[in-house]
Amino acid sequence: VEAQKRGLPNLHTTPVALATFNSPKAKELFKSMGVFTDEECDARTEVMFENYTTTLNIEVGTLLDMVETGILPACAKDMAKYASMPELAGGRKAAYIGIKTENDKLKALFEKKPHDLRAEATYFCDIIKPQMLAVRAMVDKAEGLLEAGLYPYPTYEEIIWSHHS
């Protein structure tokens, strides 16, 4: 709202903001101030796009690995404890299956990423990041259901309060 009042662009995502770095207007400004040549603006833009996509590639891979090697096995162990009394499991089964479903969606989307740098950045921003949040929401739900000793990573509570013990 404030940017709009001042007539400034509201560049609300990284790919949108990066795309303006080597716009004709920006290139002219940088050139007139002796900061960058047109080629340097293009090169810097490419490096920033590469940094963004590389970071997200690592984050997606890490999330997929954490879910598949830590969260899902913990969920399976927790469900096994309710084998003789499934009525006591509550919403565990749906939550744990939800993690697997959302994680599989993320994996499938990740495999379809474009190979053009700008298109890949936009795809990560608009498609992959929302799916990562969907996986995260399901894992957060499971964190509250899992037996305390089974959760494979530090909980928020442990991170925030561990220095008090």
Side-chain angles (χ1 to χ4, degrees):
V1 174
E2 186 63 31
Q4 190 176 14
K5 284 184 199 174
R6 296 178 183 204
L8 299 171
N10 183 8
L11 308 174
H12 61 283
T13 68
T14 300
V16 170
L18 292 179
T20 65
F21 191 83
N22 68 342
S23 69
K25 184 178 177 182
K27 284 181 177 180
E28 184 55 40
L29 174 69
F30 288 134
K31 194 173 4 175
S32 71
M33 304 284 292
V35 177
F36 296 126
T37 65
D38 289 352
E39 294 80 17
E40 289 170 328
C41 282
D42 292 338
R44 289 224 177 220
T45 302
E46 185 173 343
V47 168
M48 289 187 285
F49 271 110
E50 285 179 359
N51 183 43
Y52 181 76
T53 57
T54 299
T55 299
L56 281 167
N57 267 293
I58 292 167
E59 288 179 5
V60 172
T62 301
L63 178 59
L64 291 170
D65 287 346
M66 288 176 75
V67 169
E68 291 176 3
T69 63
I71 301 296
L72 290 176
C75 292
K77 287 178 187 173
D78 191 53
M79 277 306 298
K81 294 183 179 204
Y82 294 94
S84 62
M85 289 292 288
E87 304 82 11
L88 298 178
R92 283 174 169 78
K93 184 175 181 179
Y96 300 166
I97 289 172
I99 294 170
K100 174 76 169 126
T101 301
E102 296 302 329
N103 204 56
D104 287 348
K105 286 180 194 175
L106 177 60
K107 193 184 304 184
L109 290 170
F110 187 56
E111 290 171 359
K112 294 178 184 176
K113 68 181 177 182
H115 297 290
D116 171 75
L117 196 55
R118 288 176 187 241
E120 183 179 4
T122 301
Y123 184 80
F124 272 121
C125 184
D126 297 343
I127 306 297
I128 296 291
K129 285 177 71 176
Q131 186 56 38
M132 289 173 74
L133 290 174
V135 173
R136 169 74 184 272
M138 294 305 301
V139 171
D140 286 350
K141 185 175 182 180
E143 182 180 341
L145 297 172
L146 280 166
E147 180 184 321
L150 290 177
Y151 197 73
Y153 307 110
T155 64
Y156 293 122
E157 185 176 333
E158 291 168 345
I159 292 169
I160 292 171
W161 302 109
S162 64
H163 65 283
H164 290 289
S165 45

